[in-house]
Amino acid sequence: MRYSILKISILFIGLVILFFWSFSFQEQKKVNKFKNQLNEARVYNDPLIDEIYTDFITISNFDITDQDVSIQLVEFPFVFDWMSMYKEETNLDMLNDLMGIALGMWEDNKINIYLNYNDWRKLSLKNKRKILYHELLHDCYNLEHVENSCDIMSAMINSCSDFDLDKNLYVIINNE
């Protein structure tokens, strides 16, 4: 009797592991599909992107000498939130991390950012700066999200009404 219970337990544990592994594999397929579709998407121009990027480099004093820089404004093929992907409009009131993606994060010689054109064109200049600074901090400094909603690295960076972008950037870059 013990032997069969042990076999059943091992089989059950194996099935649970296989079940979770299959979800991980499916999620990676979605990530790859998203990246491929971004690379094939039509690119839109907005001179503000270069202006905001230049401001960020000036304020942060980030060395771009050996950087391959690509900041693309494209229509996202679907909403991507690292947990699920679905066809819905992004909630502009929350100004969340679904509006941009830093694919060059953890690659120290590459800045590779995509911004969602459909959301970007509806944003104020201040909110455009927030989004691009946030993605640049991911790519340039490999910073991850934080819980503090009044921090530029919050996934929901617009939920804080009292927010000084340049001061917040300075504090993060200078580790204060």
Side-chain angles (χ1 to χ4, degrees):
M1 184 76 166
R2 259 191 202 165
Y3 186 66
S4 62
I5 292 175
L6 180 62
K7 276 184 169 179
I8 292 171
S9 297
I10 290 172
L11 178 62
F12 179 74
I13 290 170
L15 288 174
V16 169
I17 290 170
L18 184 61
F19 177 76
F20 284 108
W21 178 79
S22 70
F23 276 110
S24 173
F25 178 71
Q26 291 300 318
E27 190 65 26
Q28 189 56 48
K29 280 179 62 177
K30 289 178 186 177
V31 170
N32 290 338
K33 178 181 177 184
F34 185 80
K35 288 179 182 179
N36 289 337
Q37 289 182 356
L38 282 179
N39 287 326
E40 297 169 1
R42 175 180 174 211
V43 177
Y44 296 87
N45 289 324
D46 184 343
L48 275 175
I49 292 174
D50 289 334
E51 186 179 314
I52 295 167
Y53 169 73
T54 302
D55 289 346
F56 176 88
I57 296 304
T58 302
I59 293 168
S60 68
N61 204 23
F62 184 76
D63 183 11
I64 58 169
T65 306
D66 295 325
Q67 296 291 319
D68 178 20
V69 179
S70 173
I71 302 172
Q72 303 290 322
L73 185 58
V74 301
E75 289 184 26
F76 278 18
F78 41 82
V79 175
F80 183 71
D81 71 0
W82 294 103
M83 295 300 286
S84 64
M85 289 169 251
Y86 45 90
K87 291 182 183 261
E88 284 184 13
E89 287 296 316
T90 303
N91 181 355
L92 292 175
D93 294 331
M94 295 306 291
L95 191 59
N96 59 35
D97 204 38
L98 305 176
M99 295 181 178
I101 184 169
L103 295 179
M105 189 172 176
W106 306 114
E107 295 183 49
D108 291 339
N109 62 343
K110 184 184 290 188
I111 297 172
N112 187 16
I113 294 172
Y114 287 92
L115 302 167
N116 189 347
Y117 172 74
N118 292 326
D119 294 330
W120 181 265
R121 63 193 174 108
K122 299 173 190 173
L123 297 174
S124 68
L125 174 60
K126 180 180 179 180
N127 287 338
K128 287 177 180 180
R129 288 182 71 219
K130 282 183 188 180
I131 289 295
L132 189 49
Y133 279 21
H134 175 95
E135 298 305 331
L136 284 163
L137 285 166
H138 278 311
D139 247 355
C140 295
Y141 293 94
N142 298 320
L143 297 179
E144 296 186 7
H145 291 142
V146 298
E147 295 297 320
N148 179 359
S149 64
C150 288
D151 189 299
I152 187 70
M153 291 315 297
S154 169
M156 302 296 193
I157 61 177
N158 204 36
S159 59
C160 181
S161 59
D162 184 30
F163 189 84
D164 183 336
L165 182 61
D166 291 335
K167 180 180 177 183
N168 193 246
L169 180 64
Y170 180 83
V171 167
I172 288 173
I173 290 172
N174 293 299
N175 296 317
E176 292 182 2

